[in-house]
Amino acid sequence: ELSIPKLGLAAPVQSPASAADADIMASLKKGVVLYPGSDAPGGSGTTVIVGHSSSSLPWNEYSAVFANLGSLQANDLVYLTNGGQEHIYRVTTVRRGSVQDILNSGMTGDLILSTCWPVGTDTNRVAVAAVLVR
C-alpha cells in the first residue's frame, strides 16, 4: 500500500503483468501501479509508481488518486508497505513538464511518483522524487 498522509491518500499498489498500455490501464483501475521494470520498494534501485490524476468515465475511487500529487513539497513523507515491511521516504524534488523535460532534468531518487498534469489532460507530467529514510 502507498500512503501519503499530507494528501489523505492511501491506495493499493498494483503490479501489472507487463508494461503494455492495456495492462497498466487495467491495473490503474485498482490503485496505483509499480511500473514494470522498476525496483521493488526498499531495494537498491529506483521504485517508480504511477497513478491517475483524472481518468475517463466510468470513475472509480482511484480515478484521481494522484490529482494533488503536485502539492507535495520537500520533506513531506511517503509511506510504502511491501511484503509486510513499511518503507518511509522523504520528498526531495517536485518537477512539472513534458516526459522528456523530466527525463532530461536528471531527477533521481529511491522513489519516483508520477502522474499526468495538468489534471484533466495528459499533456505533461508531475513527478515527485523521494529518498528512503527507513
Side-chain angles (χ1 to χ4, degrees):
E1 181 178 78
L2 175 75
S3 173
I4 306 174
K6 179 179 180 177
L7 302 181
L9 183 155
V13 178
Q14 305 296 311
S15 295
S18 76
D21 286 347
D23 288 339
I24 290 176
M25 294 306 279
S27 293
L28 284 169
K29 291 178 182 177
K30 301 173 191 168
V32 295
V33 169
L34 174 64
Y35 200 81
S38 69
D39 206 24
S44 60
T46 300
T47 302
V48 177
I49 295 180
V50 298
H52 277 307
S53 63
S54 65
S55 68
S56 300
L57 297 175
W59 278 66
N60 69 35
E61 68 182 299
Y62 304 111
S63 293
V65 67
F66 274 178
N68 295 319
L69 189 66
S71 66
L72 289 177
Q73 299 174 341
N75 298 316
D76 287 338
L77 297 178
V78 176
Y79 299 83
L80 192 50
T81 303
N82 182 45
Q85 185 173 10
E86 182 181 67
H87 305 283
I88 302 172
Y89 298 85
R90 181 178 45 81
V91 171
T92 56
T93 310
V94 179
R95 296 213 192 285
R96 289 174 181 79
S98 70
V99 171
Q100 200 59 50
D101 289 343
I102 291 171
L103 289 172
N104 291 341
S105 75
M107 181 181 217
T108 61
D110 299 313
L111 174 66
I112 304 287
L113 305 174
S114 184
T115 194
C116 294
W117 180 82
V119 171
T121 73
D122 63 0
T123 309
N124 290 299
R125 302 291 183 270
V126 61
V128 174
V131 294
L132 185 63
V133 176
R134 177 176 68 85

